[in-house]
Amino acid sequence: MAAGPGSAAGGASHVTSPPGEPSLPLKVADLQTDSISGARVLLTGASTGIGEQMAYHYSRFGAEIVLTARRGTLLQKVMEKCLQLGAKKVFYIQADMSSPQAPEEVVHFALQKLGGLDHLVLNHIGGTPFRMWDGDVEHTRWLMQVNFLSYVALASAALPILAESKGSLIVVSSLTGKISTPFTTSYSATKFALDGFFSSLRHELAMQKQDVCITLCILGLIDTEMALEKTRDKVYMSAYPVAEAALTIIKGGATRAREVFYPWWLELLCCLRDWFPDQRDVVIQSFYNYTSV
């Protein structure tokens, strides 16, 4: 574990992407930065990819952050950069979400370091092959623990804290949790489970008049290193910028949106998914290269 204090982030007229990424045409005012500056954020899956980029964006807005992921060496580097970018406080805890004990330990650590929580961002995923179903039930069971059950455990541990702060629970999901696609059997199952659980929980919180917002983020193919490596020569579609995806998620949480779609047209696709199922399936399959799997 490691920690370090940082200085508050300064204002800017437009969001600045992390070094090496293009500037994003999204005004800071659109993000309601007052709700992010000084906000206490627990961010999972923060060592690489979308989680890493979210950590940098939160830092630019002056948040107080606890980062967690499996690889401590990478977390240390992300933490150092967050401090340079303007995070008020940054801490990290190395944790493997395949362990049933990890979620409670992580939430306890965040509460100890930050004194509370305003945003819980669930973003981590377990590695899974991009291939035809091969009957590996044990892998599916493990993936359900990492991609679904640990999300439930983290949310359950944090809900009383979020209820006190009237905070936000931000769940990073996928188009494969709304529409089934080839080569993602186990992964898709975990994402559908997230939609079912957190959509049901949203109802229950509203019925109990608990002011905790649940934002479900539905993402398409994002140009993270892991996603590009797995899908190379296997899909006929473009990947979208990871820094912009990360910023869209943060905006959704800050504005307390019910759902966030990135890219935007995924929402239209989800609306049309049940109209012509046979034709829909033919179109979906046409984007995948069966011979390379």
Side-chain angles (χ1 to χ4, degrees), residues 175-180 192 195 259 261 266-281 284:
L175 178 63
T176 63
K178 291 285 192 181
I179 299 176
S180 302
F192 268 93
D195 195 338
E259 290 188 331
F261 293 84
L266 295 186
E267 184 172 12
L268 178 61
L269 189 61
C270 288
C271 290
L272 297 174
R273 66 184 173 183
D274 296 326
W275 286 14
F276 305 102
D278 292 337
Q279 292 86 345
R280 174 204 63 199
D281 287 352
I284 289 173

Side-chain angles (χ1 to χ4, degrees), residues 145-191:
Q145 168 60 38
V146 176
N147 286 13
F148 173 61
L149 292 175
S150 69
Y151 278 52
V152 173
L154 284 158
S156 299
L159 267 176
I161 310 165
L162 293 171
E164 289 180 6
S165 65
K166 298 183 179 180
S168 294
L169 177 53
I170 302 162
V171 182
V172 180
S173 189
S174 166
L175 178 63
T176 63
K178 291 285 192 181
I179 299 176
S180 302
T181 60
F183 314 143
T184 62
T185 47
S186 298
Y187 179 81
S188 182
T190 66
K191 295 303 184 180

Side-chain angles (χ1 to χ4, degrees), residues 42-269:
L42 171 55
L43 172 61
T44 73
S47 61
T48 59
I50 297 170
E52 179 185 2
Q53 298 303 321
M54 280 195 283
Y56 298 152
H57 286 313
Y58 274 120
S59 298
R60 294 178 191 279
F61 297 131
E64 301 177 7
I65 314 169
V66 167
L67 310 170
T68 187
R70 288 183 300 109
R71 291 172 287 184
T73 302
L74 293 179
L75 283 173
Q76 173 73 32
K77 293 179 180 178
V78 174
M79 184 190 73
E80 292 170 355
K81 189 168 181 179
C82 285
L83 292 171
Q84 295 171 6
L85 292 174
K88 290 183 177 178
K89 297 178 183 176
V90 189
F91 308 89
Y92 78 84
I93 175 171
Q94 185 175 352
D96 184 346
M97 291 300 169
S98 66
S99 167
Q101 291 74 41
E104 188 172 346
E105 292 172 356
V106 167
V107 172
H108 177 75
F109 176 86
L111 182 59
Q112 182 183 52
K113 295 298 183 182
L114 301 180
L117 275 180
D118 300 299
H119 298 267
L120 172 60
V121 187
L122 303 177
N123 168 71
H124 61 280
I125 56 171
T128 189
F130 191 75
R131 66 187 182 197
M132 290 284 194
W133 170 246
D134 61 359
D136 191 347
V137 177
E138 285 304 313
H139 172 72
T140 302
R141 188 174 287 115
W142 173 85
L143 198 65
M144 287 296 289
Q145 168 60 38
V146 176
N147 286 13
F148 173 61
L149 292 175
S150 69
Y151 278 52
V152 173
L154 284 158
S156 299
L159 267 176
I161 310 165
L162 293 171
E164 289 180 6
S165 65
K166 298 183 179 180
S168 294
L169 177 53
I170 302 162
V171 182
V172 180
S173 189
S174 166
L175 178 63
T176 63
K178 291 285 192 181
I179 299 176
S180 302
T181 60
F183 314 143
T184 62
T185 47
S186 298
Y187 179 81
S188 182
T190 66
K191 295 303 184 180
F192 268 93
L194 288 178
D195 195 338
F197 179 85
F198 285 102
S199 295
S200 180
L201 181 61
R202 187 188 291 114
H203 282 299
E204 295 177 8
L205 292 173
M207 293 166 72
Q208 297 174 76
K209 301 189 184 305
Q210 291 195 39
D211 193 7
V212 177
C213 174
I214 296 179
T215 299
L216 187 68
C217 305
I218 295 89
L219 306 183
L221 181 59
I222 307 301
D223 65 355
T224 64
E225 183 177 346
M226 182 172 68
L228 293 178
E229 178 63 29
K230 286 186 177 183
T231 60
R232 185 172 292 117
D233 300 324
K234 297 175 183 176
V235 298
Y236 308 115
M237 62 183 73
S238 299
Y240 286 80
V242 62
E244 189 168 311
L247 193 60
T248 301
I249 293 167
I250 292 173
K251 179 183 178 182
T255 58
R256 299 175 75 84
R258 178 188 180 90
E259 290 188 331
V260 171
F261 293 84
Y262 181 81
W264 65 269
W265 52 265
L266 295 186
E267 184 172 12
L268 178 61
L269 189 61

